[in-house]
Structures are given as structure tokens and as C-alpha cells.
Amino acid sequence: MQRKSLITIAWISFFIGSILFLFFNNEKTVQNYLSFLAISALYAFTIAMGNGVINDYLNQKFSWVEDTKTRLIWGIISTLVINVILVLFCNYVNFILIQKENPNEFFAGKTGFFNWIILNITLLVSAILHAREFMDAWKRSTRQEVVQQKLIAKSANAQFESLKNQLDPHFLFNSLNVLSSLIDENPEQAQNFTASMSKIYRYVLEQKDKELVTVQEEIDFARIYCDLLKTRFEDSVSFEFNVTSDDLKFYVVPLSLQLLLENCIKHNFATSGKPLHIKIFAEENHLIIENNLQQREQVKEAAGIGLSNIVQRYSLLTKKNVFIEKSPAFFKVKIPLLTQKTSEMNTQTTPESLAYQRAAIRVQELKRFYSSLISYCIIIPFLIFINLYTSPKYLWFYWPMLGWGIGLSLQALKIFGISRDWEEKQIQKILNKNS
């Protein structure tokens, strides 16, 4: 037990002993005052240290967060057993050894009544301390969960920014390669290409800081970019757009079409005799870029830009996948059409967030249960005292004790019993089915 706890117990002993001496003692002497302090310290240190040792042992064996049910069951059993033993021991020392009461009346009369009262008070204090310890454990766990989620979010955001920052040099590098080719082949087209490239690069600068753009914006940009490609390849490349007005309202990651069009040009040869046909269309909530396969010798893509960039950016924004299909006749990439902006998508229900919500609900249920248990431990002994004091021949306190006790037992069964296990199994079954 920590030094701070021992000091706290010492102060509790001092205050309880002082109150008992002032209000329940007729002889105000120094000797009596010291005896009250000694008896108070006997109860406080014996019961507190006994419970502390048991709790420390149980905390090492069972976690309040991961083994809540087991920890609670063993806590109730050990608390009942240890407190009965400790209270009877302290009462025996106090009443039999110190005050020289009749040992035969230890479980009857005034001594028996004090056994019952002190035991209930001890159990009440233990229940409050257990509830506080449980809440502290859950708060620590919740804080750790929040910190972990923040670290994950920061890591994902940093990764996303890194991927977006790759787009500027990548686009500029490829565009300059095209321009350098045109300067030798057709200087006049090179001038037109330079003018158009400035417009396109303005779009790159405007959109690169966005996480999502509309399909309309991306298609408009892709048409301009396709005109640039037509300037260089002429009849060797053809483009076909078939996207409905309804599909234009969805969202995609910015510059995804430009990267995929570059991918088509880079990995396929195109000639007037064997032109490259590229189709852009929407189907089944996906924007599809398809080209006839005329694969040239593969060139390793510098810095991993291109298709992998799109796949990684989508993985950070949504659980919807990017699909890639390849056959001897065609190559096809399907990027998902998103219906929500990223700020809303980040709040979507995931297994982790669902587990966190369930944990928060469980904490509230446990708080209500412990509040009911503490109220029961306070009010029922009070009713027993009132009953025995006013009408000891008619024991009516059994009715509220049994009624309330049954309700408390049903509440405990719901939280820790069979129904809780069944509910969790059903939830897990549904999650496994949907995953």
C-alpha cells in the first residue's frame, strides 16, 4: 500500500475517533480520547489494508477493462468474505478483549447489532471504492484509446499530404517530357501545348490541396488534358467520354483521371495503324478508365507515382476499393464514386468506432448499476434500522429489500450475465457477416 493511502487512512482514523469521542462519550478525558483514536485506527487500518491487499492482487490478475465480468465476480466474493472476517475480528478485539463484553453474546444483542451495522457500512465503503476504481480504469483506457486514434489520424493525414505533394513534380515532369518531344517534332504545336499546359497546371495547383473533387471538375480537366495528348499523338490515340449528368455529382480524388490517362499512354504503344482507344465511363458506382491493351516493355514508374498513388489515397479516405482488371484485350481501372465529402466520411462507422461506442454505452450501464448498488447499500440498512427501532415485532424491511434486490439482480444479470454474452455474440456475428 502506498504512503499516500496510509496517510489518508490515518486522517480518517483521527476524524472518526474524534467524532465518536465528542458525541458518543460522556467522560471527556485524555485517556478516553486516546482509546477512541486507537479503536478507530484498529478498524480503519485493519479493514482498509485488508481490502487494499485483496484489490491489488485482483488488479494484477484481472483487468477492469478486459476482464470486467471476472473482475467483478471475484471482487464481490472476496469483498464479502474479507470484510466479514475483518469486521468480526475488529469487533471481537474491541468488544470482547478491550470492553470485556460477554463472548457468548458476540452474535446476539448489542454486539450482534453492531456486527451487522459495521459490516454494512464497510461493504458500502468497499462498493464505493470499487466503483471509483472501475471508473478510473475505464477513464485511463478511454484516454489511451483517444490518444491512439489521434495518432492514427495524424499519421493518416501526414501520409495523405505526402501522397498529394507527389503530384506536382510528377505532372510537371511528364508534361515537360511531352513538350520536349513536340519541340523537335512540331514547334507550332509545342507553343499551343505550352499555353494549354499553363491552364492545366493552374488546375493542378488549385485542386492538389483538396481531398475530393466532383466528377464534373475532374472530367472537365481530363478533356483538356486529352486535347493535349491528341496534340502530340494525333490519330494514334482516341478518347471516348460517356458519363451521365447524375454521375457528375459524385466525388473522386483529384487528378485521378490525369494519372490514369498517363498510365494508359505510358504502358501502351500507339500508332496510326494500331491506335490506342481510351474510354472513360461510369458504371455501378465506379468511374472506369479502359483501354485496349497494346502493352509495351514495362518501365518502372519513378517514385511509385501513378496507379499506386490513387490506390493509397482512396485507402485513406474510404473502405471502398480501387479495382484493376486486365485481360489479353483490355486494361481497366475502376475508381469508386463517393457520395460524401471527406469530413463526413471520416465519421463513418467502422469496427473500431463501433467498439468504442459500445464501450461508452457499457460504461454508462455499469455506472447506473453501481449507483443502484450504492443506493441499495445505503437505504436498505437505514430502513432496517428504522424498522428495528420503531416496530421490531413487525419486520417490514424484508419487502423493499427483496423487491429492490431482485431488480438489482436482474440489472446485474443483464450487464454481466447470459444476455450480455448473447448480445455480444450476435453483434460479432453481424460484423463478421458484413465484413
Side-chain angles (χ1 to χ4, degrees):
M1 185 172 289
Q2 298 179 353
R3 179 181 177 183
K4 183 179 179 181
S5 299
L6 294 175
I7 295 174
T8 302
I9 296 171
W11 278 108
I12 292 173
S13 302
F14 173 76
F15 282 113
I16 293 177
S18 299
I19 291 172
L20 293 175
F21 173 76
L22 292 173
F23 297 100
F24 299 94
N25 177 53
N26 295 325
E27 298 182 14
K28 301 296 190 294
T29 63
V30 175
Q31 183 178 358
N32 275 350
Y33 180 57
L34 294 176
S35 65
F36 271 94
L37 291 179
I39 293 173
S40 177
L42 168 68
Y43 281 92
F45 278 93
T46 302
I47 295 174
M49 294 184 68
N51 280 274
V53 171
I54 293 296
N55 285 336
D56 290 342
Y57 174 77
L58 291 177
N59 289 336
Q60 293 176 0
K61 298 288 290 184
F62 309 106
S63 169
W64 273 114
V65 178
E66 298 176 358
D67 307 304
T68 306
K69 185 193 300 184
T70 306
R71 177 63 178 84
L72 180 66
I73 292 173
W74 279 106
I76 292 174
I77 294 174
S78 61
T79 298
L80 287 172
V81 173
I82 194 67
N83 280 293
V84 168
I85 295 174
L86 294 176
V87 167
L88 292 179
F89 169 77
C90 292
N91 283 346
Y92 186 85
V93 173
N94 179 24
F95 294 109
I96 305 303
L97 300 182
I98 297 177
Q99 300 187 30
K100 307 298 182 181
E101 298 284 346
N102 186 0
N104 296 327
E105 296 182 356
F106 183 68
F107 293 103
K110 182 181 72 173
T111 307
F113 179 74
F114 274 110
N115 287 337
W116 173 258
I117 292 297
I118 296 175
L119 180 60
N120 275 275
I121 294 174
T122 304
L123 292 175
L124 171 62
V125 174
S126 297
I128 294 174
L129 294 177
H130 272 74
R132 178 185 175 185
E133 186 177 352
F134 167 78
M135 293 307 303
D136 288 342
W138 273 93
K139 285 179 180 179
R140 289 193 298 270
S141 175
T142 303
R143 283 195 294 266
Q144 291 174 359
E145 181 72 20
V146 170
V147 170
Q148 290 175 358
Q149 291 298 326
K150 286 183 178 179
L151 291 175
I152 292 172
K154 288 181 179 179
S155 175
N157 185 64
Q159 185 179 357
F160 189 82
E161 291 299 323
S162 175
L163 290 169
K164 288 194 300 182
N165 289 335
Q166 293 174 350
L167 299 178
D168 283 352
H170 177 254
F171 172 76
L172 185 60
F173 175 78
N174 283 277
S175 299
L176 291 175
N177 280 341
V178 175
L179 181 59
S180 64
S181 300
L182 285 176
I183 290 173
D184 294 331
E185 298 172 5
N186 193 330
E188 184 177 350
Q189 286 186 348
Q191 291 180 359
N192 296 331
F193 184 90
T194 303
S196 298
M197 193 181 77
S198 65
K199 297 179 182 178
I200 291 178
Y201 197 70
R202 184 183 300 115
Y203 175 85
V204 174
L205 294 176
E206 290 174 351
Q207 305 298 337
K208 77 179 187 70
D209 291 328
K210 296 182 180 179
E211 293 176 335
L212 291 175
V213 295
T214 63
V215 176
Q216 176 74 66
E217 292 175 295
E218 195 70 7
I219 290 291
D220 292 341
F221 167 74
R223 289 182 186 275
I224 300 174
Y225 187 71
C226 288
D227 290 339
L228 289 184
L229 295 176
K230 288 285 289 182
T231 301
R232 177 185 176 188
F233 294 98
E234 298 180 342
D235 296 334
S236 299
V237 179
S238 65
F239 301 94
E240 179 183 342
F241 289 86
N242 186 15
V243 181
T244 64
S245 57
D246 292 335
D247 296 322
L248 295 176
K249 300 176 182 178
F250 289 97
Y251 294 89
V252 293
V253 296
L255 303 177
S256 54
L257 279 183
Q258 184 258 334
L259 288 173
L260 291 174
L261 289 170
E262 279 187 10
N263 202 58
C264 295
I265 299 296
K266 181 176 182 178
H267 296 289
N268 295 275
F269 65 85
T271 64
S272 299
K274 290 186 177 181
L276 182 66
H277 300 288
I278 301 176
K279 300 178 182 179
I280 297 110
F281 59 97
E283 184 179 85
E284 297 179 351
N285 294 323
H286 284 81
L287 187 63
I288 303 171
I289 295 84
E290 179 183 343
N291 65 273
N292 56 318
L293 194 62
Q294 299 180 161
Q295 193 167 7
R296 67 172 67 178
E297 184 179 351
Q298 293 296 315
V299 179
K300 185 177 180 181
E301 193 165 17
I305 309 299
L307 187 57
S308 62
N309 182 287
I310 298 173
V311 172
Q312 291 180 65
R313 283 195 288 158
Y314 265 104
S315 68
L316 293 172
L317 294 175
T318 178
K319 289 190 172 296
K320 295 181 179 180
N321 295 319
V322 175
F323 294 100
I324 302 170
E325 296 181 18
K326 184 178 181 181
S327 73
F330 67 86
F331 184 84
K332 184 186 297 185
V333 179
K334 298 180 179 180
I335 59 176
L337 296 176
L338 306 177
T339 57
Q340 295 174 307
K341 290 195 174 182
T342 309
S343 59
E344 296 171 347
M345 288 164 48
N346 287 338
T347 61
Q348 62 184 329
T349 302
T350 63
E352 291 80 9
S353 63
L354 179 61
Y356 184 79
Q357 293 171 9
R358 288 172 56 200
I361 294 173
R362 184 166 176 80
V363 169
Q364 294 299 323
E365 291 177 346
L366 288 166
K367 285 175 64 178
R368 287 194 291 268
F369 170 73
Y370 279 115
S371 297
S372 300
L373 179 62
I374 291 171
S375 301
Y376 182 84
C377 294
I378 293 175
I379 296 175
I380 294 300
F382 178 74
L383 293 178
I384 294 173
F385 175 78
I386 295 296
N387 184 190
L388 296 177
Y389 186 79
T390 57
S391 55
K393 294 183 179 180
Y394 176 61
L395 303 179
W396 49 264
F397 70 85
Y398 282 117
W399 301 109
M401 184 176 70
L402 291 175
W404 195 352
I406 292 173
L408 197 62
S409 300
L410 294 176
Q411 186 179 3
L413 183 63
K414 179 182 178 182
I415 298 175
F416 306 106
I418 299 174
S419 61
R420 170 62 60 179
D421 291 337
W422 179 86
E423 179 184 349
E424 291 183 352
K425 289 179 181 178
Q426 295 302 314
I427 292 175
Q428 188 61 45
K429 187 184 296 183
I430 293 173
L431 288 175
N432 293 336
K433 183 178 179 181
N434 292 335
S435 60

